Amino acid sequence: MTTEDHTRVTVLGLGAMGSALAAALVDAGHRTTVWNRSPGKAEALVARGAVAAGTAGEAVRSGGPVVVCLLDHASVHEVLDPLAGDLSGRPVVNLTTTSPEQSRELGAWAAAHGIAYLDGGIMAVPAMIGRPGSSVLYSGSAPVFEEHRALLERWGDADYFGEDAGLAPLYDLALLAGMYVMFAGFLHGAAMVAPAGVTATEFAGRAAPWLAAMTGGFQGFAEVVDGGDYTVPGQQSLEFSDLGDILAAGAEQGVAPDAVAMVQRLIRRQIDAGHGKEGFARIFESIRNPA
C-alpha cells in the first residue's frame, strides 16, 4: 500500500456523527471522499476540502479505508451488499451502532467476501470528536486496527478489544446502559424537587458533584462482584438500601416512580430470597440471573 493510499479515506453516512468523523479527517489532511444517501449534507465538508461522491460505489472506488456510519445494521447491509466486489481486499471500519451479534454477523459477511472488517463503538457525542475525552472502542481485524491506528486516533483515544467483532459494541452498549440509567435517576430527582420551585438547573448544580463523587464506589462494587462474596464487611446492606422512602417522597410530589421502582424491584428480589443482610452490590445477581 502506498503512502498516498494511506492518506485516502472514504466516509459513508453524513449524519451528525458521520459528518463529525469526516470533518476530523479532512482537518487532519486526509484526502476524504464522502457520500450520503440524501443530498446536501456534504456541502459543508466539501467547503473544508472533502470530495463528494454521487454514489456509494463511486465513493468506495475512490480508495483508502472505508468508514461506515449509517443508521442501523439493516442500512449497512443495504449500502454495502451491492459493493461487496469493490470492497474485496479493502479495510472497512463500521462505526454504525449495532448489537454484538449484528456486528459478528457483519464480520462474517465481510470475511466471506474477502473484506477486512473492524467494528467500533463511539464513546462520544459529535461535538467531542477529535477532542480530549473522545474515545472509540474497536474489535475485529487486528491488522486493520494496527495499520490504520494513526487515522483512527484522529477521532479520539483508540482501544482495541480483540478479534471478536462483537466485543466493542458490547462494551459500547453496556457503558451506555450505565449512562442512561444515571441520566434517568438525575431527571427523576429533578422532577421530585420541581414542585418545590427548584429549577432543574439548580438541582443539576448539586447533583453533578454528588454523582461524580459516587462513581468512586464503582471499583468497590466491582471487587465484591468479581469476588462473589456479598457478605464482605463494610458494605451497605440491601435492607438498609431499601428505596421505599424515596418512592414515597416521589409519590407525594406526584412524579412517576419508574426510574427508582426498577432499582427497588432488583433490591426486593434479593431480600425476598433471604439476602437482605448482604451488600447492595448483590443486585448484580438480580440482573445477571433474572430467572
Side-chain angles (χ1 to χ4, degrees), residues 60-117:
V60 166
R61 289 187 289 273
S62 68
V66 177
V67 178
V68 183
C69 191
L70 298 170
L71 177 64
D72 55 19
H73 177 256
S75 64
V76 174
H77 270 301
E78 185 178 348
V79 172
L80 296 190
D81 283 2
L83 303 175
D86 292 318
L87 290 168
S88 181
R90 299 276 298 283
V92 169
V93 182
N94 181 31
L95 300 179
T96 306
T97 299
T98 52
S99 74
E101 286 308 310
Q102 288 172 336
S103 295
R104 293 180 181 114
E105 185 276 329
L106 283 165
W109 172 87
H113 291 88
I115 301 165
Y117 182 82

Side-chain angles (χ1 to χ4, degrees), residues 6 26 48 88 104 117 179 211 221:
H6 276 296
V26 172
R48 294 170 82 149
S88 181
R104 293 180 181 114
Y117 182 82
M179 180 194 76
L211 293 175
F221 285 144

